[in-house]
Amino acid sequence: MTDRDRRISDQLVRLVQIVFGLVVAQSFLLHRDIVLHPVSPKNFLSALALATVYITTVLSWIDWHVTMELRPYNFNPRNHYRMTEQFRLGLDLLVVTVYAYLLLAVGDLKPSPLSTTTPQEVSNGGVASFLMGFPVLFVTYLLSGLARRRAHGRLATNPLPILVFGLAYIALLIAYYFLRPALGAGFAMWIDFGAILTAFVLMLAYRLTRRWLVKKRSQQKKAGLVVGIDVDGVLADQIYGVLPRVETRLGIRLSYEDVTEWRLPLGNSDIAKEISIALEDQEYVLDMPLHKDARNVVDALYVNNRVVMLTGRSPVTKAWTNQWLQNAAFTFDGLITAEEEKKSLYRSDVLIDDYIGNIREYLEKTHGVAILVDQPWNRRERSELQAWIDAGRLHIVVQLRDVLPIVRELRLKRENEQRRPQNQHP
């Protein structure tokens, strides 16, 4: 993400902050009597509801800011999911609007100053309206989370707890509708109090569950493999954009399948040099198309492993490469510009690459496992790698998605090896 994109995201975050601040500030004026006299018999129920909303908004506000630091809005014109990010911003504003609804609904829980109605006789419509705001809130949480998940990967949100607690709030609302009239006026105050207290407890439970799940996922990733993934030829199609440049510069017309060597001679040049020259052009880097299944495969690997992008590109292209990865919504733990045939220096457990030179060097100098992604330029030299294949340290995949079962099996193997000493008895 460029500095400009980050500044735009910060301004949009500030927009949501301003709306939120106005809503909360206005609620203090609107409910001044409740804030000043929370234990008054006529204010007790509404004070509990107001505290529930304030705690809900504060906890949500903390979690949302953490999320925005990790996954800011990306309105870059090249972002593949720009429309999704715009939708996400609208949903975040809608969440604040629902908070405003809940704060306004608190006013219906308090008898009018000119009314002779006692707190016990307040219509159940006020409490029901208040409770109805929570299922609506969780619908907006879910939609915002799904938009974030689409634009930033599977770990951007976990929809399961949102669904579970959203259904719990629906069950609470239904139970309230049936129990209050069934138990009669004598229990009305207790039912109202119990319903609002339950809404409060459910929100605390949701936030605690959410944070526990985030911690658990983090532990799973730390216990996983370190997977190094090459960019060009694995995730990015560096050939598509360079072929027109080769034709313009050298007058040589090629197809993708014609590139049968990593350094295919092209007059006084070769394909690797032409790619290196093209990588000095920001437009070439940012417009590079993705290989099939690239984003889905990286998403799946990222869930239970640490994913490091190991690219042989020049360090001067690192910012562009990072922007390209973010525009394509890749989720990863780090980006390293590694020199050609020196990827063994970065201590990954698995290397996914398309260049046989990198694969050979990695297998010779580490104990890791390599996965060679089939490309026209790596088919001629595979016979020299047969010993590594026989030893189970090299796998060749034609489809990028075939990487997933290999890495899954390697992780299970390591987990079994780690458990083995614990299960042995003298």
Side-chain angles (χ1 to χ4, degrees):
M1 176 174 281
T2 65
D3 290 341
R4 178 178 179 274
D5 295 333
R6 174 67 73 169
R7 287 196 301 271
I8 291 173
S9 177
D10 290 344
Q11 291 296 326
L12 294 173
V13 167
R14 203 161 290 127
L15 169 63
V16 179
Q17 289 172 332
I18 290 170
V19 175
F20 176 83
L22 288 172
V23 167
V24 174
Q26 184 64 27
S27 73
F28 280 109
L29 296 174
L30 183 65
H31 302 307
R32 180 175 180 274
D33 182 50
I34 300 174
V35 174
L36 293 176
H37 307 287
V39 296
S40 169
K42 68 175 183 178
N43 290 339
F44 183 71
L45 193 65
S46 52
L48 176 61
L50 190 61
T52 299
V53 180
Y54 282 151
I55 291 174
T56 295
T57 55
V58 168
L59 293 177
S60 173
W61 200 236
I62 293 170
D63 288 346
W64 183 76
H65 276 81
V66 172
T67 296
M68 293 308 300
E69 180 64 26
L70 296 173
R71 298 175 179 88
Y73 299 122
N74 185 356
F75 278 29
N76 188 286
R78 285 186 169 89
N79 181 14
H80 298 200
Y81 300 94
R82 187 182 183 191
M83 290 293 294
T84 303
E85 289 286 70
Q86 293 172 344
F87 184 55
R88 174 187 163 202
L89 171 61
L91 288 167
D92 288 344
L93 287 169
L94 183 58
V95 169
V96 177
T97 303
V98 179
Y99 290 151
Y101 167 84
L102 287 169
L103 288 167
L104 292 172
V106 170
D108 292 337
L109 302 178
K110 185 179 69 170
S112 169
L114 301 178
S115 173
T116 58
T117 306
T118 64
Q120 289 84 354
E121 296 170 335
V122 174
S123 169
N124 68 329
V127 176
S129 297
F130 177 75
L131 294 177
M132 190 174 294
F134 288 94
V136 175
L137 182 62
F138 273 76
V139 169
T140 58
Y141 283 168
L142 180 62
L143 293 175
S144 178
L146 290 176
R148 190 166 62 248
R149 183 184 176 104
R150 175 172 170 76
H152 294 272
R154 289 168 57 181
L155 288 192
T157 194
N158 185 348
L160 183 58
I162 301 176
L163 286 169
V164 170
F165 282 92
L167 290 172
Y169 274 110
I170 292 174
L172 173 63
L173 180 61
I174 294 172
Y176 178 80
Y177 264 119
F178 282 99
L179 285 177
R180 197 177 193 275
L183 294 178
F187 292 93
M189 187 63 180
W190 291 106
I191 294 296
D192 291 346
F193 174 79
I196 295 175
L197 182 62
T198 301
F200 172 77
V201 171
L202 282 174
M203 184 56 67
L204 285 180
Y206 166 69
R207 289 296 165 185
L208 290 173
T209 300
R210 187 176 182 274
R211 292 177 186 184
W212 176 77
L213 289 171
V214 169
K215 183 178 179 180
K216 183 179 178 182
R217 288 186 313 200
S218 178
Q219 291 172 342
Q220 287 176 337
K221 278 181 61 63
K222 288 180 180 178
L225 303 171
V226 178
V227 182
I229 305 178
D230 182 37
V231 175
D232 295 322
V234 176
L235 306 179
D237 182 353
Q238 81 277 39
I239 302 299
Y240 175 84
V242 84
L243 294 182
R245 293 168 178 263
V246 168
E247 185 172 0
T248 300
R249 272 174 46 84
L250 306 175
I252 300 174
R253 179 175 294 183
L254 296 170
S255 69
Y256 192 98
E257 292 296 324
D258 290 332
V259 186
T260 56
E261 297 178 37
W262 180 251
R263 300 192 184 281
L264 181 73
L266 300 172
N268 294 327
S269 182
D270 62 53
I271 193 68
K273 289 180 182 178
E274 293 303 310
I275 292 172
S276 181
I277 293 170
L279 285 169
E280 296 175 2
D281 183 350
Q282 184 179 11
E283 297 298 311
Y284 168 76
V285 174
L286 296 180
D287 289 337
M288 202 173 287
L290 277 71
H291 280 300
K292 184 180 178 182
D293 297 325
R295 192 266 171 106
N296 292 335
V297 168
V298 173
D299 267 4
L301 291 172
Y302 181 80
V303 171
N304 291 316
N305 305 281
R306 284 165 289 171
V307 172
V308 179
M309 303 300 182
L310 292 174
T311 176
R313 295 178 179 182
S314 166
V316 299
T317 70
K318 187 172 183 178
W320 304 340
T321 302
N322 189 57
Q323 185 180 344
W324 180 86
L325 289 166
Q326 292 184 348
N327 287 345
F330 284 106
T331 48
F332 55 98
D333 297 289
L335 170 63
I336 297 173
T337 52
E339 290 185 41
E340 188 175 292
E341 298 190 18
K342 289 189 178 181
K343 294 187 176 180
S344 64
L345 299 177
Y346 302 96
R347 298 184 180 180
S348 62
D349 300 303
V350 181
L351 175 66
I352 304 171
D353 210 309
D354 65 299
Y355 175 43
I356 283 184
N358 289 335
I359 293 289
R360 185 192 302 111
E361 185 268 347
Y362 177 81
L363 291 171
E364 289 174 349
K365 297 184 179 180
T366 75
H367 298 290
V369 173
I371 301 175
L372 178 67
V373 178
D374 175 67
Q375 292 291 1
W377 51 87
N378 61 38
R379 292 170 185 164
R380 292 183 178 179
E381 304 174 58
R382 291 182 190 175
S383 57
E384 64 187 73
L385 303 175
Q386 190 59 47
W388 302 113
I389 296 173
D390 295 339
R393 291 193 55 207
L394 173 62
H395 302 266
I396 299 175
V397 296
V398 176
Q399 302 286 342
L400 192 56
R401 62 175 177 266
D402 294 336
V403 163
L404 297 178
I406 297 171
V407 175
R408 192 180 304 120
E409 184 178 345
L410 291 172
R411 174 171 173 144
L412 289 173
K413 181 180 178 182
R414 188 165 89 169
E415 289 175 350
N416 291 333
E417 290 174 350
Q418 291 173 341
R419 292 192 195 102
R420 194 171 298 143
Q422 299 175 2
N423 295 331
Q424 290 177 350
H425 299 281

